């Protein structure tokens, strides 16, 4: 029989630092709990014990503190984020019926030692799980110590048996006490023999085998004089350290391995706790929502699934006519759909109806005016639009609602959301999705309203979906031949770069190999400032930037990297996305970014480089169809204008109302000169501060951006905040309010939770403060561009223009229109973008037209 006992404080510490910061929407940190439970399950899978328990330290001094005042005096207190999780973890362990042991005045180590001794006396095997090597002294024929380490977020363990320990240390496990007595322990803060380190202590133990034997031979001529002196002077300290290092095996606890046999959980209580912590994956992993004998029946939704055929088609039509709303799930390839009506789900597919009857039914269902609940209406409209199916019903999009409630989430699968929000478990198929959407449609609108985001949903995010779907289906034309020629030119320049680099190196090598490149730069060429990591020399962009003036090979390498990225990402990458109509149809993602900004994929057209000559060449590849032009309209400094409004800074507002160049005016104020005296360098510095301040830039980062000292960068920031005092007050206010409420929001009410503001970890907290500063600004700018897109599309329809929106890139809209509509579209887009929001400063949009994106920009 085997008992496994965990050193609770040791394991939870490793979980805390290994997993990183996680929290529930309430702000309660959860990372240590989540990590501990995953480690526990991994341990159970590995060891398969019959009995299980956990030992914890108690607060307050132990007998060791009483014996030695400095014992563990240098230990930092437990981080608050971890301390708040311990009581909840213990509640979970109690609900799992896992016994816990702790004893005032004693350490968890002593409980481990006592449990191991008792197990051995009763013929049980004992596995002690800890991250503390001190426990290795407990290893014997019945006790194995499973030493747990966490590295890079991954937990690993080694089982120490007597033979494993002795092969590593060269003496039996109990000798670890003697070793510690000689070398001391900086973590527990006892000295051992002053001046004797680990190397000397191991040599003494290997030679003599114990502390007593060491002192019996302390005056031996075999020892160096210095060692003899240190041993003589440190005898009392050594034996005191021996006593402190010894884990007791006689802790006064009532312990019997039989009483720790693994028992069934209180599933209802565990489920309640997991739900409060939002551990949806663990709920699914342990199937806590499924019924179990002897436990109350979990909330499992039983579905009646009806396969739609010609014979029962009228039943579906009748249900659609009589019941509102209905929930519809659609497969990505449109080959099947499911309609959830009450507890019944109608499932139709090309297989059940055939290729003749299915397409008309698909069209009929979506083009019948009714109330439809769906998930991701943008993708649905886009897919249906490619089959010339127009959605006629009124939609409620549960994916958008979930996104508003949890904008930092990576995915929004409906079945998982139904489990989380509605406490229901459903099958992972199209019928289960339809049923999940029906449940979510009843639950999420109230939650969105309670969160104060109904207007964001109804006025911005939902009406934007048909706009995005139309843009996806319209696409943008690409000059395939020009793109191929551009790729060929890049290939030649890449080859030239390779030849140049190989010439400097004196040999050919793999330029893409960090190891080989590091060897060339820092060993062969002996360049300075090399930074060696565990995997070898670092050759990242920052390192190369610092070396570019040290040797001509470095700029060549930087050019090579730039060219190969352009070639693979754009020259080759874009070609494979050109469809038969000669256009690229990107996918606009509207539930991805935590700030509310749009992004695009397959391909990503939002990161086309614009600041380099070759980046501009790529924009030349995007063209208007014959007889048409591209109109490009761009907001001028929208985020800074939003900042002026939100911060209510009168000086900044006056600068924008003046119509003069804002960066020049800022430079004049910061440097104390007249606007006409502002140099290009002054304006560049002011521009960096203007945009950096929105992101809570530090003097260190600004110094790197501008190539100045931290002192100068600090002076720039202080000068900026001294003139724009409203901005300084905003920065202080928004962080304080977010810390109190737990979230920040845009002008339109789009919210983002920031529980990390309460983290005891400085880096985590500082990062959250920067997010708190920027999110209201970036989120508001994102909302404004979305409103502008809706207005532009609606206005073009109202004026019966042929023009179509084809792209949105950050603060830029691109419209394709006939040449005859160019002036009207430029005026329309400018007007609608500038009137999309009413701020205390003017919103300025500038429109240009051309045959290519490059010309229009």
């Amino acid at each position: 029989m085997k008992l496994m006992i965990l050193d609770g404080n040791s394991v939870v510490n490793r979980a805390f630092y290994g997993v990183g910061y996680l929290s529930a929407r309430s702000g309660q940190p959860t990372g240590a709990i989540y990590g501990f439970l995953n480690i526990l399950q991994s341990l159970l899978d590995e060891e398969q014990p019959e009995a299980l328990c956990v030992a914890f330290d108690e607060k307050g001094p132990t007998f060791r503190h009483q014996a030695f005042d400095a014992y563990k005096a240098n230990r930092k207190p437990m981080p608050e984020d971890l301390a708040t999780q311990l009581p909840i973890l213990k509640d979970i362990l109690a609900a799992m019926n896992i016994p816990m042991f702790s004893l005032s005045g004693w350490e968890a180590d002593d409980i481990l030692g006592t449990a191991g001794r008792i197990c051995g006396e009763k013929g049980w095997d004992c596995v002690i799980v800890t991250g503390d090597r001190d426990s290795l002294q407990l290893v014997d024929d019945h006790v194995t110590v499973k030493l747990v380490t966490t590295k890079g977020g991954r937990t690993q363990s080694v089982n120490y048996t007597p033979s494993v320990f002795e092969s590593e240390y060269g003496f039996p496990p109990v000798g670890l006490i003697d070793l510690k007595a000689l070398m001391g322990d900086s973590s527990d803060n006892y000295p051992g023999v002053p001046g004797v380190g680990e190397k000397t202590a191991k040599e003494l133990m290997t030679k003599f085998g114990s502390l007593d034997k060491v002192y019996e031979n302390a005056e031996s001529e075999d020892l160096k004089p210095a060692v003899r002196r240190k041993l003589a002077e440190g005898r009392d300290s050594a034996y005191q350290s021996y006593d402190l290092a010894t884990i007791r095996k006689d802790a006064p606890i009532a312990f019997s391995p039989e009483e720790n046999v693994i028992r069934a959980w209180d599933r209802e209580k565990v489920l309640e706790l997991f739900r409060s912590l939002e551990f949806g994956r663990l709920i699914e992993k342990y199937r806590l929502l499924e019924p179990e004998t002897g436990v109350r029946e979990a909330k499992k939704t039983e579905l009646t699934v009806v396969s739609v055929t010609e014979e029962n088609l009228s039943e579906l039509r009748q249900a659609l006519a009589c019941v509102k709303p209905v929930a519809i799930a659609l497969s990505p390839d449109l080959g099947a759909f499911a309609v959830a009506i009450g507890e019944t789900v109608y499932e139709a597919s090309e297989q059940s109806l055939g290729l003749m009857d299915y397409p008309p039914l698909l069209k009929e269902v979506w083009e019948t005016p009714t109330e439809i609940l769906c998930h991701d209406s943008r993708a649905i409209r886009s897919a249906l639009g490619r089959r010339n199916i127009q959605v006629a019903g009124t939609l409620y999009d549960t994916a958008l609602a979930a996104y508003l409630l949890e904008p930092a989430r990576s995915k929004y699968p409906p079945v998982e959301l139904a489990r989380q929000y509605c406490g229901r478990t459903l099958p992972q198929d199209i019928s289960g999705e339809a049923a999940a959407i029906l449940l979510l449609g009843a639950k999420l609108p109230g939650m969105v309203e309670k969160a104060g985001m109904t207007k964001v949903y109804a006025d911005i995010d939902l009406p934007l979906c048909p706009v995005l779907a139309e843009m996806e289906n319209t696409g943008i034309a690409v000059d395939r031949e020009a793109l191929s020629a551009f790729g060929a030119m890049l290939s030649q320049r890449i080859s030239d770069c390779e030849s140049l680099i190989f010439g400097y190196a004196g040999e050919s090598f793999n330029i893409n190999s960090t190891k080989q490149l590091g060897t060339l730069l820092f060993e062969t060429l002996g360049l300075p400032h090399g930074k060696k990591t565990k995997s070898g020399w670092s050759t990242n962009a920052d390192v190369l930037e610092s070396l570019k003036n040290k040797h001509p090979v470095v700029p060549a390498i930087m050019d090579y990297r730039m060219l190969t990225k352009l070639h693979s990402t754009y020259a080759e990458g874009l070609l494979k996305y050109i469809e038969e109509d000669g256009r690229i149809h990107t996918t606009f993602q509207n539930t991805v970014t935590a700030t509310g900004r749009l992004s695009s994929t397959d391909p990503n057209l939002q990161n086309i480089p614009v600041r380099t000559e070759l980046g501009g060449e790529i924009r030349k590849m995007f063209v208007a169809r014959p007889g048409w032009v591209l109109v490009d309209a761009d907001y001028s400094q929208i985020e800074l204008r939003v900042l002026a409004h939100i911060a209510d800074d009168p000086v900044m507002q006056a600068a924008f109302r003046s119509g003069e160049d804002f960066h020049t005016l800022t430079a004049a104020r910061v440097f104390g000169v007249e606007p006409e005296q502002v140099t290009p360098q002054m304006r560049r510095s002011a521009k960096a501060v203007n945009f950096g301040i929105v992101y809570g830039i530090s003097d260190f980062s600004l110094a790197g951006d501008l190539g100045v000292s931290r002192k100068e960068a600090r002076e720039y920031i202080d000068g900026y905040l001294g003139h724009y005092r409203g901005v300084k007050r905003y920065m202080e206010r928004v962080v304080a309010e977010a810390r109190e409420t737990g979230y920040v929001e845009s002008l339109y009410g789009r919210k983002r939770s920031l529980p990390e503001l309460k983290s005891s970890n400085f880096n985590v907290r500082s990062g959250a403060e920067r997010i708190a500063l920027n999110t209201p600004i970036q989120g508001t700018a994102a909302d404004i561009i979305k409103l502008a897109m809706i207005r532009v599309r609606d206005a073009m329809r109202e004026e019966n223009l042929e023009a179509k929106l084809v792209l949105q890139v950050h603060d830029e809209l691109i419209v394709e229109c006939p040449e005859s509509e160019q002036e009207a579209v430029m005026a329309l887009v400018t007007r609608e973008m500038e009137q999309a929001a009413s701020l205390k400063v003017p919103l300025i949009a500038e429109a240009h037209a051309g045959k290519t994106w490059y010309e229009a920009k």
Side-chain angles (χ1 to χ4, degrees):
M1 300 284 281
K2 183 195 294 184
L3 175 136
M4 184 167 72
I5 180 168
L6 276 64
D7 181 347
N9 291 77
S10 175
V11 175
V12 81
N13 261 284
R14 273 147 187 79
F16 178 71
Y17 290 106
V19 171
Y21 190 84
L22 295 177
S23 69
R25 283 192 298 265
S26 63
Q28 169 62 50
T30 60
I33 301 171
Y34 189 80
F36 184 98
L37 294 173
N38 279 300
I39 292 172
L40 174 59
Q41 186 57 55
S42 178
L43 293 168
L44 289 169
D45 292 341
E46 288 178 21
E47 294 296 332
Q48 299 289 314
E50 284 78 23
L52 174 68
C53 59
V54 184
F56 284 103
D57 287 321
E58 288 263 357
K59 288 184 178 179
T62 67
F63 64 85
R64 292 182 178 86
H65 294 90
Q66 294 168 359
F68 185 62
D69 289 341
Y71 182 68
K72 294 188 176 181
N74 58 353
R75 287 279 181 97
K76 293 181 180 179
M78 181 180 291
E80 183 183 351
D81 286 356
L82 175 55
T84 63
Q85 297 183 65
L86 268 183
I88 302 172
L89 174 61
K90 291 178 180 179
D91 286 344
I92 292 173
L93 294 175
M96 290 176 165
N97 284 317
I98 298 174
M100 290 170 280
F101 296 90
S102 61
L103 191 62
S104 179
W106 295 70
E107 294 185 53
D109 286 350
D110 303 309
I111 296 172
L112 300 176
T114 303
R117 173 186 61 80
I118 294 173
C119 282
E121 290 173 355
K122 294 199 172 190
W124 279 62
D125 290 329
C126 179
V127 177
I128 294 173
V129 180
T130 181
D132 188 352
R133 281 187 171 266
D134 291 351
S135 294
L136 296 180
Q137 64 182 267
L138 301 173
V139 171
D140 62 27
D141 290 340
H142 282 281
V143 175
T144 298
V145 170
K146 196 176 191 72
L147 194 67
V148 176
T149 58
T150 304
K151 186 176 181 181
R154 297 186 64 183
T155 300
Q156 299 173 319
S157 62
V158 176
N159 280 18
Y160 277 85
T161 60
S163 61
V164 172
F165 180 93
E166 196 156 351
S167 68
E168 181 174 325
Y169 283 85
F171 49 82
V174 71
L176 184 63
I177 306 172
D178 307 73
L179 180 71
K180 290 281 189 176
L182 289 165
M183 62 182 279
D185 190 315
S186 59
S187 176
D188 288 343
N189 203 42
Y190 54 80
V193 176
V196 172
E198 182 177 3
K199 181 181 178 182
T200 302
K202 280 187 174 180
E203 290 174 353
L204 291 170
M205 281 297 297
T206 302
K207 189 176 185 69
F208 299 114
S210 71
L211 183 65
D212 287 341
K213 292 292 185 183
V214 168
Y215 273 99
E216 286 176 13
N217 296 276
E219 297 179 4
S220 170
E221 292 298 325
D222 291 342
L223 299 178
K224 295 177 181 178
V227 174
R228 294 201 300 269
R229 177 180 54 79
K230 291 172 184 176
L231 287 173
E233 293 174 353
R235 182 185 181 96
D236 290 342
S237 176
Y239 277 97
Q240 184 181 39
S241 296
Y242 183 93
D243 191 53
L244 293 169
T246 302
I247 295 176
R248 301 297 192 264
K249 299 182 181 181
D250 58 351
I253 56 171
F255 183 87
S256 175
E258 296 89 347
E259 294 177 1
N260 296 278
V261 170
I262 294 174
R263 292 177 287 164
W265 296 357
D266 181 344
R267 286 164 58 93
E268 187 172 345
K269 183 62 177 174
V270 173
L271 176 61
E272 178 187 339
L273 288 164
F274 280 9
R275 275 183 173 158
S276 70
L277 298 171
E278 298 168 13
F279 287 169
R281 290 184 180 177
L282 293 183
I283 290 172
E284 181 179 2
K285 180 177 181 178
Y286 294 117
R287 301 184 176 183
L288 294 176
L289 293 171
E290 297 182 9
E292 179 180 88
T293 304
V295 182
R296 72 172 179 86
E297 186 166 311
K299 295 180 179 178
K300 184 173 182 179
T301 301
E302 298 294 339
L303 301 179
T304 301
V305 179
V306 177
S307 180
V308 178
T309 62
E310 288 186 51
E311 288 73 24
N312 61 13
L313 194 52
S314 60
E315 183 182 337
L316 172 61
R317 288 189 171 117
Q318 185 176 4
L320 285 170
C322 298
V323 181
K324 295 180 182 180
V326 298
I328 307 181
L330 185 62
S331 68
D333 64 356
L334 307 190
F337 68 88
V339 182
I341 302 173
E343 297 296 313
T344 302
V345 179
Y346 294 89
E347 191 174 305
S349 67
E350 293 175 344
Q351 286 72 30
S352 65
L353 282 167
L355 293 177
M356 291 294 293
D357 294 328
Y358 176 78
L361 177 62
L362 179 69
K363 186 176 180 69
E364 176 186 340
V365 166
W366 287 101
E367 292 191 345
T368 299
T370 189
E371 294 177 26
I372 297 175
L373 304 171
C374 68
H375 201 77
D376 195 353
S377 61
R378 173 205 55 78
I380 289 171
R381 287 180 180 274
S382 182
L384 292 172
R386 287 193 291 273
R387 289 201 185 183
N388 294 316
I389 299 174
Q390 303 303 316
V391 178
T394 303
L395 301 184
Y396 189 87
D397 190 331
T398 53
L400 285 180
Y403 167 65
L404 285 171
L405 295 170
E406 294 185 85
R409 188 172 181 146
S410 58
K411 294 180 180 179
Y412 301 88
V415 172
E416 187 175 317
L417 292 172
R419 182 183 295 110
Q420 175 184 337
Y421 288 115
C422 309
R424 302 283 182 170
T425 183
L426 291 157
Q428 296 277 1
D429 56 24
I430 195 166
S431 294
E433 287 186 15
I437 293 167
L438 189 64
L439 291 169
L440 293 169
K443 181 76 173 180
L444 296 187
M447 295 180 68
V448 171
E449 183 176 6
K450 186 176 180 181
M453 289 188 282
T454 299
K455 282 187 68 63
V456 178
Y457 172 86
D459 296 348
I460 301 176
D461 284 5
L462 184 65
L464 182 66
C465 289
V467 179
L468 295 177
E470 289 172 14
M471 291 169 65
E472 290 177 2
N473 288 335
T474 301
I476 185 167
V478 178
D479 188 333
R480 186 190 295 269
E481 292 183 4
L483 189 58
S484 296
F486 180 66
M489 179 272 292
L490 289 176
S491 294
Q492 182 58 52
R493 290 187 59 173
I494 291 169
S495 179
D496 293 342
C497 266
E498 287 178 339
S499 299
L500 186 60
I501 294 166
F502 295 156
Y504 286 125
E507 61 179 350
S508 61
F509 65 98
N510 183 0
I511 304 172
N512 297 313
S513 166
T514 301
K515 183 178 180 180
Q516 293 182 38
L517 188 59
T519 300
L520 167 69
L521 295 176
F522 304 111
E523 295 178 20
T524 304
L525 298 178
L527 297 183
H529 311 306
K531 179 182 178 184
K532 203 164 190 178
T533 66
K534 291 181 180 178
S535 58
W537 294 104
S538 173
T539 61
N540 63 26
D542 291 338
V543 170
L544 294 183
E545 182 67 28
S546 69
L547 297 171
K548 67 181 181 181
N549 296 321
K550 304 295 183 182
H551 194 285
V553 74
V554 179
I557 293 168
M558 295 171 73
D559 284 346
Y560 173 85
R561 285 186 173 178
M562 180 266 293
L563 292 167
T564 53
K565 182 176 181 180
L566 285 174
H567 188 270
S568 62
T569 305
Y570 302 109
E572 286 184 344
L574 292 178
L575 276 172
K576 67 182 181 182
Y577 285 107
I578 302 175
E579 297 187 14
E580 291 182 4
D581 60 359
R583 303 173 78 86
I584 285 178
H585 299 263
T586 188
T587 298
F588 292 98
Q589 302 289 353
N590 58 336
T591 60
V592 170
T593 68
T595 60
R597 272 189 176 273
L598 296 172
S599 62
S600 74
T601 56
D602 301 325
N604 182 356
L605 296 182
Q606 302 221 340
N607 66 347
I608 302 288
V610 295
R611 291 186 175 88
T612 64
E613 179 184 347
L614 288 174
E617 290 295 314
I618 295 169
R619 291 198 171 205
K620 291 180 181 178
M621 310 301 154
F622 293 86
V623 299
R625 71 189 75 178
W628 289 50
V629 293
L630 295 178
V631 172
D632 185 309
D634 197 351
Y635 275 123
S636 170
Q637 302 162 342
I638 185 171
E639 289 191 355
L640 290 173
R641 293 172 190 270
V642 169
L643 173 62
H645 176 93
I646 292 179
D648 202 18
D649 188 300
V651 178
M652 185 176 281
Q653 290 173 2
F656 277 119
R657 292 193 193 106
S658 73
E660 297 181 50
D661 179 73
F662 180 70
H663 299 312
T664 299
L665 291 179
T666 298
R669 290 190 172 93
V670 170
F671 292 104
V673 298
E674 293 300 317
E676 55 271 18
Q677 296 175 302
V678 170
T679 66
Q681 177 58 40
M682 288 179 177
R683 185 183 183 277
R684 189 171 77 87
S685 298
K687 184 176 181 179
V689 180
N690 274 328
F691 287 113
I693 210 76
V694 176
Y695 293 90
I697 197 169
S698 65
D699 52 10
F700 177 81
S701 297
L702 184 62
D705 291 345
L706 296 178
V708 299
S709 69
R710 290 185 67 173
K711 182 175 181 293
E712 288 177 277
R714 184 73 258 166
E715 289 172 353
Y716 292 164
I717 294 174
D718 290 342
Y720 180 98
L721 295 177
H723 283 283
Y724 297 132
R725 297 182 184 276
V727 172
K728 184 177 182 180
R729 288 192 296 271
Y730 160 76
M731 295 172 69
E732 294 168 348
R733 182 183 75 249
V734 71
V735 172
E737 290 177 354
R739 190 173 286 117
E740 182 178 343
T741 63
Y743 64 84
V744 289
E745 62 182 317
S746 73
L747 281 179
Y748 296 90
R750 186 184 303 278
K751 292 181 173 64
R752 178 178 181 178
S753 296
L754 285 174
E756 297 88 347
L757 285 169
K758 296 181 180 178
S759 172
S760 61
N761 183 296
F762 174 79
N763 291 331
V764 172
R765 189 171 64 253
S766 298
E769 288 173 356
R770 288 192 292 272
I771 292 172
L773 290 173
N774 174 250
T775 295
I777 299 162
Q778 196 175 101
T780 298
D783 288 339
I784 291 173
I785 193 72
K786 287 178 176 179
L787 287 166
M789 294 170 73
I790 297 166
R791 291 175 63 99
V792 166
R793 180 258 206 171
D794 289 350
M796 291 191 304
R797 282 190 167 190
E798 288 171 7
E799 296 186 18
N800 295 315
L801 298 174
E802 292 185 69
K804 298 282 186 182
L805 265 170
V806 291
L807 274 184
Q808 182 270 343
V809 180
H810 304 310
D811 307 324
E812 180 182 354
L813 296 183
I814 299 96
V815 176
E816 187 178 28
C817 68
E819 292 176 355
S820 60
E821 293 180 357
Q822 176 180 321
E823 296 303 321
V825 168
M826 289 176 64
L828 180 150
V829 174
T830 302
R831 179 188 74 234
E832 298 302 328
M833 288 179 70
E834 292 183 344
Q835 294 178 5
S838 178
L839 303 179
K840 295 176 182 177
V841 296
L843 262 182
I844 302 297
E846 298 175 354
H848 304 278
K851 287 290 186 179
T852 70
W853 188 2
Y854 178 84
E855 291 176 5
K857 183 69 178 170

